[in-house]
Amino acid sequence: MTILIIGDEQNFIALQRKGSLATHTVEQADDLKGPEVMQGKDLVIDLEFDEHPDNAAVYAQFPTIPVLAGVVKTSLQAVNSKYGCTLIGCNFLPGFIEMPVTEISLLEDAQQPVLTAIMQQLGWAYELVQDAVGMVTPRVVCMIINEAYMAAETNTASREDIDVAMKLGTNYPMGPFEWSKKIGIRQVYEVLAAVHTATGNPRYMISELLKKEATNN
């Protein structure tokens, strides 16, 4: 396949760790400069879509080219309603890109054969989840990070102790503050804010300490 990958160098390197890209013709760009770059492409992987949802206006002009887009802070339904564009949603948040199993959402069941063919050619394992703001893993991990910030906010324990307790007590590979550094505190804040806006559920209200660090980052 001829693949266009939209993403900065750091995220592109993370994607390469998933393997299989070497067998394809790959073009990497920091951003989507215009519709002309879509010509001759069999697939687009947009690692930056959450930051640039208006890219959908370009993708809508090429409905036959499938797009794997980082759609965590919005939903496929919202993108389709605004731009008339049908994407395949992926968890491409920093820290998750290189994971061995990619979390994916679809807008329509009719996309399944296309997705299956793409995943076979890329050699990626994937897990389908419902189209929802925050997806599943990002929502859960960001909530755990938020709870950890609330504990630190009230001096319940130090950040280091919270990380150690979570790793020893739950067998997590990383503690919540380690996760927040890997994902990026601004990204964590924006995921939580998007889920809170979408659901109105007070459980997603953001720790004041987390909010302060994210806005000062």
Side-chain angles (χ1 to χ4, degrees), residues 18 20-21 26 30 36-38 59 84 88 99 102 111 118 139 148 169 172 178 183 189 206 210 212:
K18 291 179 75 69
S20 300
L21 288 180
V26 173
D30 287 342
E36 62 277 0
V37 299
M38 299 287 291
Y59 301 144
I88 295 172
M99 292 237 172
T102 302
Q111 294 173 283
I118 292 170
R139 183 184 292 212
Y172 284 4
E178 291 170 328
I183 299 169
Y189 171 79
I206 303 170
L210 191 157
K212 180 180 177 181

Side-chain angles (χ1 to χ4, degrees), residues 88 111-122 126:
I88 295 172
Q111 294 173 283
Q112 182 65 67
V114 173
L115 173 63
T116 300
I118 292 170
M119 294 296 108
Q120 285 176 344
Q121 291 183 76
L122 291 175
Y126 68 95

Side-chain angles (χ1 to χ4, degrees), residues 22-41:
T23 61
H24 302 280
T25 302
V26 173
E27 179 183 326
Q28 183 258 337
D30 287 342
D31 52 52
L32 187 63
K33 294 177 171 48
E36 62 277 0
V37 299
M38 299 287 291
Q39 300 294 338
K41 303 303 185 297

Side-chain angles (χ1 to χ4, degrees), residues 21 31-32 53 71 76 138 180-181 198 211-212 214:
L21 288 180
D31 52 52
L32 187 63
V71 181
L76 296 173
S180 69
K181 289 177 184 176
K211 185 184 300 185
K212 180 180 177 181

Side-chain angles (χ1 to χ4, degrees), residues 157-206:
S158 70
R159 298 184 184 211
E160 294 77 13
D161 287 344
I162 292 170
D163 276 344
V164 169
M166 288 297 291
K167 286 188 286 187
L168 294 179
T170 63
N171 202 31
Y172 284 4
M174 286 183 285
F177 291 103
E178 291 170 328
W179 258 118
S180 69
K181 289 177 184 176
K182 192 172 181 66
I183 299 169
I185 193 62
R186 182 184 63 83
Q187 297 279 4
V188 173
Y189 171 79
E190 289 178 357
V191 170
L192 290 167
V195 174
H196 184 255
T197 299
T199 65
N201 193 323
R203 68 190 294 199
Y204 299 109
M205 290 188 67
I206 303 170

Side-chain angles (χ1 to χ4, degrees), residues 38-203:
M38 299 287 291
Q39 300 294 338
K41 303 303 185 297
D42 301 306
L43 174 67
V44 176
I45 301 176
D46 190 341
L47 304 174
E48 308 288 337
F49 186 83
D50 265 331
E51 311 303 319
H52 304 283
D54 54 339
N55 285 355
V58 173
Y59 301 144
Q61 299 175 46
F62 299 87
T64 62
I65 302 177
V67 179
L68 303 181
V71 181
V72 176
K73 300 172 191 174
T74 184
S75 68
L76 296 173
Q77 182 62 56
V79 173
N80 182 264
S81 296
K82 184 171 182 179
Y83 297 99
C85 180
T86 303
L87 308 174
I88 295 172
C90 301
N91 176 12
F92 285 150
L93 282 177
F96 295 96
I97 295 172
E98 64 269 40
M99 292 237 172
V101 179
T102 302
E103 194 168 318
I104 288 181
S105 59
L106 299 177
L107 184 62
E108 304 166 348
D109 291 340
Q111 294 173 283
Q112 182 65 67
V114 173
L115 173 63
T116 300
I118 292 170
M119 294 296 108
Q120 285 176 344
Q121 291 183 76
L122 291 175
W124 291 2
Y126 68 95
E127 184 71 31
L128 275 179
V129 300
Q130 182 181 355
D131 175 35
V133 177
M135 301 188 87
V136 175
T137 307
R139 183 184 292 212
V140 171
V141 171
C142 289
M143 281 185 66
I144 291 170
I145 293 169
N146 195 42
E147 289 291 335
Y149 266 89
M150 289 180 178
E153 205 170 51
T154 57
N155 296 314
T156 302
S158 70
R159 298 184 184 211
E160 294 77 13
D161 287 344
I162 292 170
D163 276 344
V164 169
M166 288 297 291
K167 286 188 286 187
L168 294 179
T170 63
N171 202 31
Y172 284 4
M174 286 183 285
F177 291 103
E178 291 170 328
W179 258 118
S180 69
K181 289 177 184 176
K182 192 172 181 66
I183 299 169
I185 193 62
R186 182 184 63 83
Q187 297 279 4
V188 173
Y189 171 79
E190 289 178 357
V191 170
L192 290 167
V195 174
H196 184 255
T197 299
T199 65
N201 193 323
R203 68 190 294 199

